Structures are given as C-alpha cells and as structure tokens.
Amino acid sequence: MLRAPLPLVSALLVAGLLSACSNTTVDKTAGWSPNRIHSEAKDEMNSGAYDKAVPLLEKLEGRAAGTPLAQQAQIDKAYSHYKAGEKAQAIATLDRFMKLHPASPALDYALYLKGLVNFNDNLGLFSFISRQDLSERDQKAAKDSFESFSELSTRFPDSRYAQDARQRMTYIVNSLAQYEVHVARYYFQRGAYVAAIGRAQVAVADYQGVPALEEALYILVQSYDALGMTQLRDDARRVMDTTYPQSAYLRGNGLKEKSDPWWKFW
C-alpha cells in the first residue's frame, strides 16, 4: 500500500486547518459592552440597515438579559423587522415581549407597534382592486390591527400613542365597511342578488355611522327589488329615506362607476 510522503501529509493538515479557520465566523462584538452594541444597532437602524441591526439587537438581548436595555432591544428588534417588511417576525417578537414583560412601561408602544404592523399590511388590501373574487380577500390583518389599537386605547387612554390609535381605528372601521359594500356591489353588478344582500347586510349590521352604509342600503333596495321581494325592498327604502333623505343614489345616480376606487369615501 502506497503512503503519502510525511511532508505532503503535514502540508495537507495545515491547509485543512487554515481552511477551517477561514470558514469560522468571527464575532466582532465579542469584546463590546452592551451599551456599545446598542449604539451600533441604533446607528444601523438610523441608516436604514435594519437587516444588520437585528443580529446586533439579538446579541444585546442575550448579554443584557434581565435589564431594561434587554427590553429595549426586543422593542427595537420588532421595529427593525417591521421596517424590513418582515411582518411575522415583528409580530412574534412583540407577542413574546408582551408575554415576558406585562408590566413594562413600553407596553403601550408594543401594542401600538403591533397595530401598525397589521395596519400597514392592510394597505395592500385597501389600495387596489384585482380581478379575483373579492369575497376571498383576507380581512384578518385589519381586524387584528383594530384589536391592538383598541386594547391600547382602553388600557392606556393617556398614552402618547392613543390619539393616533383612535384615528386609525376609525379608518379601519370605515375601510372594513366599505370593503363589504364593495363586495356587495361586485355581486350585485353580476346579478348575484342573494350574495349582494348578504354582504350589504353585514355592513349594515356590523358598522354603524360609517359613510359606506348609504350605498349598502341602496344595494339592499335594488337587490330586493330584483328578486321581487317587495316588502323587504320597501322596508329598506324607508330606512334609506329616513337616514339619507338627500341621497344621490335615490336621485337616480345609481351605483358608483367601476372606475371609482372602492376605497374612495369622499
């Protein structure tokens, strides 16, 4: 059996060791204090490099465990995930923070940020129309956002974030109602009157005092009429006459044109 010369074996062993060393990740933060890690992470966040901030904040969370700085690291990490478009990671980080620190002075901000994550995810739902069946669109993000803002407003009414949260809640309610009406109109214009009635009734029953209710009532009137349900048509018409006596729908303008954005309330 042939054997490699000893000098060759030694050279191969040295090369292997060097290769292994070169592949080892060096922790540049090994000698850093928690404050320095926090400072570096904030610099990355301020420059928009959220993907670089996250690993620094994870190290800070471990090294400063049990201190307010570790809590701040968790909040900053959630914010970095949010800004990087990583919704699931942001929500998971916030949920973990609220579970571990239920009495934290930053709890109001955690609720606010959780609402924002879902609110911004919601913009895709409320900003355009595709040709898919709109009844299949997911409204969970909007409702989750509303719940977070509602909890914030209830538990921390004097929080610096409460007023903005209330305004966003109003927007969400209007948007959800308008969404139901949009779907009702979608069905009505395709002759699916029973489905149109179902979605319009959801808007009327679940959302009070929002702009979309005028069109929801009009769709009910027209759908009942198309189905020959005269008693229900007349009942809906009386409600509409009382609530919206100057309604443009009743003056013959009919439903909105398809070209109108469905989220355009004004």
Side-chain angles (χ1 to χ4, degrees):
M1 180 177 180
L2 296 178
R3 295 183 180 179
L6 288 179
L8 177 57
V9 172
S10 299
L12 290 173
L13 289 173
V14 171
L17 290 173
L18 290 175
S19 176
C21 292
S22 65
N23 291 330
T24 302
T25 301
V26 177
D27 182 4
K28 68 176 183 179
T29 70
W32 293 6
S33 67
N35 285 334
R36 181 179 175 186
I37 297 176
H38 184 236
S39 177
E40 293 286 339
K42 295 298 285 187
D43 286 344
E44 298 289 7
M45 292 173 66
N46 291 334
S47 66
Y50 299 105
D51 58 325
K52 296 180 180 179
V54 167
L56 289 171
L57 293 166
E58 289 174 342
K59 290 184 181 297
L60 176 59
E61 185 181 349
R63 294 187 193 177
T67 70
L69 195 57
Q71 294 186 33
Q72 185 63 51
Q74 292 176 25
I75 289 291
D76 287 343
K77 185 173 72 168
Y79 180 81
S80 295
H81 282 309
Y82 159 59
K83 295 297 288 184
E86 299 168 340
K87 173 193 169 184
Q89 293 90 324
I91 294 296
T93 301
L94 289 168
D95 285 343
R96 178 171 175 269
F97 173 86
M98 289 186 281
K99 182 178 181 180
L100 292 175
H101 311 290
S104 171
L107 191 61
D108 61 334
Y109 177 72
L111 285 167
Y112 178 70
L113 182 54
K114 185 175 180 180
L116 278 185
V117 173
N118 282 312
F119 184 85
N120 282 4
D121 181 68
N122 206 23
L123 294 181
L125 172 66
F126 295 140
S127 63
F128 67 93
I129 300 173
S130 74
R131 294 186 179 274
Q132 75 181 84
D133 183 343
L134 294 172
S135 66
E136 297 177 357
R137 290 286 188 85
D138 181 21
Q139 300 178 53
K140 186 177 185 300
K143 293 176 180 178
D144 286 348
S145 179
F146 185 91
E147 288 179 5
S148 296
F149 289 140
S150 179
E151 184 177 354
L152 165 61
S153 300
T154 301
R155 295 180 59 184
F156 306 100
D158 298 323
S159 167
R160 60 185 292 190
Y161 308 107
Q163 181 59 33
D164 185 70
R166 294 186 192 102
Q167 292 175 350
R168 291 176 187 272
M169 287 167 65
T170 298
Y171 173 81
I172 290 170
V173 169
N174 288 340
S175 297
L176 288 172
Q178 187 65 39
Y179 174 79
E180 293 295 339
V181 172
H182 176 74
V183 177
R185 187 190 326 125
Y186 174 88
Y187 285 130
F188 176 80
Q189 291 173 335
R190 286 156 180 77
Y193 302 117
V194 174
I197 289 170
R199 299 308 287 253
Q201 285 177 335
V202 169
V204 172
D206 292 353
Y207 306 101
Q208 301 298 314
V210 297
L213 293 191
E214 180 181 359
E215 187 177 358
L217 286 168
Y218 181 75
I219 290 173
L220 285 176
V221 170
Q222 296 301 311
S223 295
Y224 286 136
D225 185 62
L227 293 173
M229 305 172 74
T230 55
Q231 183 61 54
L232 290 174
R233 177 201 63 195
D234 293 344
D235 289 344
R237 178 63 185 259
R238 277 193 293 272
V239 173
M240 190 169 185
D241 285 337
T242 301
T243 311
Y244 303 101
Q246 304 300 320
S247 174
Y249 296 105
L250 296 178
R251 292 200 301 267
N253 290 351
L255 296 175
K256 295 178 182 178
E257 295 295 329
K258 286 185 178 180
S259 59
D260 287 347
W262 69 268
W263 42 261
K264 187 174 181 180
F265 309 131
W266 47 88

